[in-house]
Amino acid sequence: MRKKFTRPLLVIILVTGILFVFVDLLKEETFTIIEKDTDTFVWIESNKLLNPTYKRASLGLENARIINSNGEEIDYRELVIGDKIKADFKPMVALSDPPGLGAWEVKLLN
């Protein structure tokens, strides 16, 4: 009686785990603003659980082009905690933990 329920349950758990890994690795990476350090620096966190570019980082917005979802350029002061963004990074600015990054372009998502 136990074998009839154990094997299908293990197969369901295994298939669900594989699907989770597959979906998480293929989804587009976005970042959430979790804290504003200064006017030109924000702390960001990735939405990916497996293999993120940066799990958490300090992002410099100075000289970055910031656009909203309509493609209009906006000021960095309009970004607030909880906003979802997509960023094009410059080469690493500071080797620290978490890393200090700069951005070429930041797109504010809906």
Side-chain angles (χ1 to χ4, degrees):
M1 182 76 171
R2 259 188 170 184
K3 286 187 177 182
K4 287 184 180 179
F5 295 114
T6 306
R7 284 186 183 165
L9 183 62
L10 289 175
V11 169
I12 290 171
I13 292 171
L14 182 64
V15 168
T16 304
I18 291 171
L19 285 174
F20 170 76
V21 169
F22 186 71
V23 168
D24 193 62
L25 289 176
L26 291 181
K27 73 179 172 182
E28 185 178 30
E29 186 170 30
T30 60
F31 297 92
T32 303
I33 298 174
I34 56 172
E35 185 180 339
K36 288 187 92 170
D37 199 11
T38 62
D39 278 343
T40 58
F41 279 94
V42 294
W43 288 90
I44 58 172
E45 187 172 69
S46 176
N47 69 329
K48 292 182 82 172
L49 297 175
L50 304 172
N51 199 25
T53 306
Y54 301 102
K55 182 63 183 161
R56 185 173 282 176
S58 173
L59 180 64
L61 300 174
E62 195 170 359
N63 300 324
R65 181 173 179 248
I66 303 170
I67 57 174
N68 61 13
S69 58
N70 298 330
E72 301 164 350
E73 198 160 336
I74 60 173
D75 193 36
Y76 61 85
R77 293 179 198 98
E78 294 181 40
L79 297 175
V80 295
I81 295 173
D83 281 346
K84 303 255 187 255
I85 61 170
K86 184 172 172 122
D88 292 329
F89 299 112
K90 293 179 182 177
M92 194 173 297
V93 176
L95 292 174
S96 61
D97 188 30
L101 306 170
W104 295 109
E105 183 177 87
V106 174
K107 182 176 183 182
L108 179 63
L109 305 173
N110 287 340

